[in-house]
């Protein structure tokens, strides 16, 4: 049986990943309402809906991760106990199992596809409707404001899901673990590092403060 610490790490890492998927989906719906249904935004996006969306995100994240860990605990681990990875992830952990893991891989893949693809499809549909609404706007300023509202979120969605699809669409299928390590490093360190930068650069005050800082830095140098 895998060590308790390894399974704990796998559980919380999986829960946080799925939770971020859910939150990105919720954010896409928020932008859809703001751009496509602006007059109804305040009435639809009320406190009850917000609480429901938050509860949905947390429940899906922690329950899906618990389900995955429970399946992995059903396997036998009788060989080496060293994972060829940065942390306890699904694919390298399954590689250590000495029992038949085909059914676990299949169920994990189905769960991953159900959660990930469903939410990605929802995001794609909302952005199709968003871009359709932006295209039919008569005001150039309105188009620019709408695109500015979506740009940061769309950037995060593309980078996050791009690595996620390669990593978890089909775990432990014999693909290069070197590629797995690189993508895992991007997904766990690089993307979370750039997320605050991507979102805060939309803030006018932060952009002005950065310009002033760079200006005085150039003067002093």
């Amino acid at each position: 049986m895998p060590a308790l610490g390894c399974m704990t790490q796998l559980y919380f890492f999986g829960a946080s990943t799925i939770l971020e998927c859910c939150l990105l989906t919720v954010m896409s719906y928020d932008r859809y309402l703001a751009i496509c249904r602006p007059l109804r935004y305040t009435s639809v996006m009320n406190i009850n809906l917000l609480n429901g969306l938050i509860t949905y995100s947390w429940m899906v994240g922690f329950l899906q991760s618990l389900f995955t860990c429970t399946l992995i605990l059903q396997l036998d681990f009788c060989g080496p106990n060293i994972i060829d990875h940065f942390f306890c992830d699904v694919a390298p952990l399954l590689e250590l199992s000495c029992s038949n893991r085909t059914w676990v891989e299949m169920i994990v893949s189905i769960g991953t596809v159900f959660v990930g693809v469903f939410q990605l499809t929802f995001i794609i549909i909302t952005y199709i409707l968003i871009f359709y609404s932006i295209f039919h706007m008569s005001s150039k300023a309105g188009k620019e404001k709408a695109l500015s509202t979506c740009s940061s979120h769309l950037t995060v969605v593309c980078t996050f899901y791009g690595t996620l699809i390669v990593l978890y669409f089909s775990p432990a299928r014999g693909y290069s673990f070197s590629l797995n390590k690189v993508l895992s490093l991007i997904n766990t360190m690089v993307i979370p590092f750039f997320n605050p930068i991507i979102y805060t650069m939309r803030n006018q005050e932060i952009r002005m403060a950065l310009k002033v800082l760079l200006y005085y830095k150039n003067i002093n140098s």
Side-chain angles (χ1 to χ4, degrees), residues 6 17 42 44 49 53 55 59 62 64 75 98 103 109 135 137 147 165 170 173 176 179-180 191 198 208:
C6 180
T17 301
T42 54
V44 174
L49 180 60
L53 292 174
T55 303
M59 287 186 63
F62 284 103
Q64 173 67 21
L75 299 174
C98 57
W103 64 277
S109 296
F135 180 77
M137 288 182 179
L147 289 173
I165 289 172
S170 182
R173 290 290 180 180
S176 172
L179 176 62
N180 183 285
I191 294 178
I198 293 173
M208 289 299 299

Side-chain angles (χ1 to χ4, degrees), residues 95-114:
E95 286 293 317
L96 297 182
S97 174
C98 57
S99 57
N100 185 4
R101 60 179 186 268
T102 303
W103 64 277
V104 175
E105 293 177 7
M106 182 179 64
I107 296 176
V108 170
S109 296
I110 292 174
T112 303
V113 168
F114 178 76

Side-chain angles (χ1 to χ4, degrees), residues 28-45:
S28 70
Y29 179 64
D30 177 77
R31 280 151 177 76
Y32 162 77
L33 288 178
I35 295 174
C36 300
R37 300 290 186 270
L39 298 180
R40 298 184 57 192
Y41 179 83
T42 54
S43 61
V44 174
M45 193 60 71

Side-chain angles (χ1 to χ4, degrees), residues 81-99:
N81 59 355
I82 299 176
I83 295 178
D84 184 21
H85 210 283
F86 298 117
F87 56 92
C88 290
D89 204 0
V90 175
L93 193 57
L94 290 177
E95 286 293 317
L96 297 182
S97 174
C98 57
S99 57

Side-chain angles (χ1 to χ4, degrees), residues 70-81:
T70 302
L71 289 176
I72 293 177
L73 286 172
Q74 307 303 313
L75 299 174
D76 294 324
F77 294 86
C78 49
N81 59 355

Side-chain angles (χ1 to χ4, degrees), residues 122-147:
F122 183 87
I123 293 174
I124 293 173
I125 292 174
T126 56
Y127 268 102
I128 290 175
L129 297 175
I130 287 172
F131 286 129
Y132 179 81
S133 297
I134 293 175
F135 180 77
H136 286 83
M137 288 182 179
S138 58
S139 170
K140 182 179 179 180
K143 290 182 179 181
E144 293 177 351
K145 184 178 180 180
L147 289 173

Side-chain angles (χ1 to χ4, degrees), residues 189-208:
M189 297 185 65
V190 178
I191 294 178
F193 175 79
F194 281 105
N195 279 357
I197 298 175
I198 293 173
Y199 283 119
T200 54
M201 287 307 294
R202 285 192 62 250
N203 190 295
Q204 184 67 26
E205 295 180 356
I206 293 179
R207 289 205 300 265
M208 289 299 299

